[in-house]
Amino acid sequence: MDSLILQTAIGLVFIFLTFSALVTVLTEGAARMIGLRGEYLLRGIRSLVDGKSTFELPWRDLLRRESDRRVVPSEQTPMVTKIIEQPMVSPSADKGSPPANAGNAKLSVHDRRRLPSYVSGRAFARALIGVLVADVHGQTTIVDIKDKVSDLTADNPIRGPLLSLLTEAGDDVTRFREGVEEWYDDHMARVSGWYKRHVRWISLGIAAVVILLFNVNAVEITRSLYTDEALRGSVVSQAVDSANCDDKDPAVCLTDIQKEIRAVHTSGLPVGWGTVAACATSDCNWFERIGLADPDDGVGHDIGYFLLVLVGWALMILAVVPGARFWFDALSRLGSLRSTGPKPASR
């Protein structure tokens, strides 16, 4: 099966994949630069153990240049700050030293980058027990834990969950620790969803810049692929050889994507800014030369033409939302349809 429509779809999905991968790499780089993963980890732990956290990050806080250096009395130090400073967690921070007052202050971009970006359930459970029962000899018993949890105030957000976990664990410290790990992992799975929703807005912003920078118009690309047989064959060949970025270093992946974009441009696809062919030998105004108005049409249709350009840009920007993984899978399925089909299973 190798129809005109199928080949056009493969070429279009390849373009979606290429620019989705580029936006994904740039988004991950931006998230690392502003320490977003560490910030969400911190807020996730705080919402679990202190019960008060917001995942709204205004731009003025996201790009803060100086941290809020409040000094908090030790008896009022939030549980999250104590956990981050525990020996089981603090080595995960940059240079093994988390920023001061982490979890109880608005951190600067520099300090957020020092936060650990990942804390395992096991490390969290050991750190939490270490905060509740400070036992330098490492011989904490279930009785010690029960006494400390019972002494917590009724309005403490971790008192109820920990009492339930203690009831399930009986007299087994190991079972209690495993219960805390599962409790933490379940909560952080929700935090991961909140993080992805926040990052999606960053991705859309980066996508808008990338699509406008490269002038990638889904409508115009579809038209070119459908009407130009040589161009369609060239892009489909590139699509078949396209690479997946999942297992690559981001810098290597970005280099490969840049090569793919150059290959797409040289193949003749309408990607990038430049003088349109219709204006090469005739007089055109600036909008017509760069493709924002139709040089072949009469007066009065430029607004409709420009709106169609906006639609093409919008479709490309929205195409990055599913992510590169989605488009790679779609390209693989379309490739299977184009071929003679999967190899029959041997009997």
Side-chain angles (χ1 to χ4, degrees):
M1 182 179 181
D2 197 8
S3 68
L4 170 62
I5 295 177
L6 181 59
Q7 286 191 2
T8 302
I10 289 174
L12 191 60
V13 168
F14 172 64
I15 300 300
F16 290 162
L17 167 63
T18 300
F19 283 93
S20 291
L22 176 60
V23 169
T24 298
V25 172
L26 294 177
T27 300
E28 184 62 25
R32 289 182 182 180
M33 184 180 67
I34 61 180
L36 197 59
R37 284 188 180 275
E39 179 70 22
Y40 263 77
L41 174 69
L42 195 66
R43 293 180 181 225
I45 295 176
R46 186 170 64 200
S47 64
L48 184 65
V49 299
D50 290 305
K52 47 183 179 181
S53 183
T54 174
F55 287 87
E56 297 178 359
L57 279 171
W59 284 105
R60 62 180 179 274
D61 291 338
L62 199 62
L63 303 177
R64 178 181 286 268
R65 300 181 64 180
E66 294 184 1
S67 296
D68 181 0
R69 299 294 186 182
R70 290 176 294 170
V71 178
V72 182
S74 59
E75 64 269 19
Q76 298 179 8
T77 301
M79 180 74 74
V80 59
T81 305
K82 297 176 182 178
I83 289 175
I84 293 296
E85 294 173 350
Q86 276 284 307
M88 289 298 299
V89 175
S90 59
S92 301
D94 183 42
K95 298 179 181 178
S97 177
N101 213 17
N104 196 38
K106 294 179 179 179
L107 299 178
S108 67
V109 171
H110 177 265
D111 283 343
R112 276 202 303 271
R113 287 201 296 263
R114 292 172 53 197
L115 291 170
S117 58
Y118 173 75
V119 174
S120 67
R122 175 174 296 184
F124 171 81
R126 293 176 183 271
L128 179 62
I129 294 174
V131 170
L132 291 173
V133 187
D135 186 356
V136 296
H137 302 292
Q139 298 178 349
T140 303
T141 66
I142 196 72
V143 176
D144 296 330
I145 298 174
K146 288 180 178 179
D147 290 342
K148 291 295 182 180
V149 173
S150 298
D151 290 341
L152 296 174
T153 59
D155 60 347
N156 193 304
I158 64 172
R159 188 176 188 273
L162 291 184
L163 285 175
S164 297
L165 292 173
L166 284 169
T167 300
E168 294 177 4
D171 296 328
D172 191 338
V173 175
T174 301
R175 283 190 62 188
F176 172 72
R177 186 183 298 115
E178 291 173 350
V180 173
E181 291 177 20
E182 293 177 0
W183 176 50
Y184 170 81
D185 289 338
D186 290 343
H187 179 74
M188 295 311 292
R190 293 192 294 273
V191 173
S192 178
W194 299 332
Y195 171 79
K196 290 178 180 178
R197 284 195 293 273
H198 192 132
V199 168
R200 185 171 297 170
W201 290 107
I202 298 177
S203 294
L204 284 174
I206 292 176
V209 173
V210 169
I211 296 309
L212 292 177
L213 181 65
F214 286 97
N215 187 22
V216 191
N217 185 325
V219 175
E220 190 62 29
I221 288 174
T222 303
R223 182 186 295 120
S224 298
L225 288 171
Y226 190 81
T227 58
D228 191 328
E229 182 179 356
L231 172 62
R232 188 170 59 250
S234 175
V235 173
V236 169
S237 296
Q238 293 175 28
V240 172
D241 297 333
S242 63
N244 186 14
C245 287
D246 286 356
D247 300 325
K248 291 184 179 180
D249 179 84
V252 175
C253 182
L254 186 58
T255 301
D256 291 343
I257 294 168
Q258 291 172 340
K259 292 179 181 178
E260 289 184 7
I261 292 174
R262 285 196 294 270
V264 164
H265 181 66
T266 56
S267 66
L269 269 178
V271 174
W273 295 98
T275 303
V276 299
C279 292
T281 57
S282 61
D283 293 332
C284 299
N285 61 40
W286 183 79
F287 288 97
E288 291 171 343
R289 282 199 304 272
I290 65 173
L292 298 182
D294 189 357
D296 299 324
D297 203 355
V299 179
H301 295 88
D302 284 346
I303 294 178
Y305 188 91
F306 181 67
L307 290 176
L308 190 60
V309 171
L310 293 180
V311 170
W313 285 343
L315 290 174
M316 282 301 308
I317 293 171
L318 293 176
V320 308
V321 174
R325 179 72 260 178
F326 172 85
W327 292 118
F328 183 81
D329 291 342
L331 185 62
S332 299
R333 289 193 292 269
L334 289 173
S336 297
L337 287 175
R338 179 173 178 265
S339 66
T340 56
K343 181 180 179 181
S346 58
R347 295 183 178 180

